[in-house]
Amino acid sequence: MGPGATRATASAAVEAVLASIRLATAETDARLHIAHFGTFERVERPSRQGYDINTGAMRHIPARSELTFKAARGLIQG
């Protein structure tokens, strides 16, 4: 991507990178480290009871997996 890149081209590039990260971390114990940027890791969240703020009732929240990101030290000191 150079100086003539459009917003659509940049958006497509970012989506392609994120799709690659999701694919690389599809396994439950997979971690993806990108040097000088950070680490992506899939974390399993157990099912639990939660509070619905709209109705005031307790409700069940099902188990799910999430993709987490921890920035590299140099990235946030910038």
Side-chain angles (χ1 to χ4, degrees):
M1 292 185 41
T6 64
R7 181 179 286 245
T9 306
S11 178
V14 169
E15 288 299 325
V17 169
L18 292 176
S20 296
I21 290 170
R22 280 188 217 106
L23 185 61
T25 58
E27 299 174 15
T28 55
D29 295 334
R31 296 177 73 180
L32 175 66
H33 175 75
I34 301 173
H36 307 290
F37 185 71
T39 303
F40 293 90
E41 182 175 15
R42 183 158 308 276
V43 176
E44 299 297 321
R45 303 285 184 204
S47 64
R48 58 191 169 92
Q49 290 293 321
Y51 179 75
D52 186 342
I53 60 171
N54 294 324
T55 64
M58 296 298 286
R59 65 180 206 120
H60 176 75
I61 300 172
R64 66 180 192 267
S65 63
E66 294 180 345
L67 188 60
T68 61
F69 174 72
K70 182 177 178 184
R73 204 174 313 149
L75 184 66
I76 55 177
Q77 288 178 354

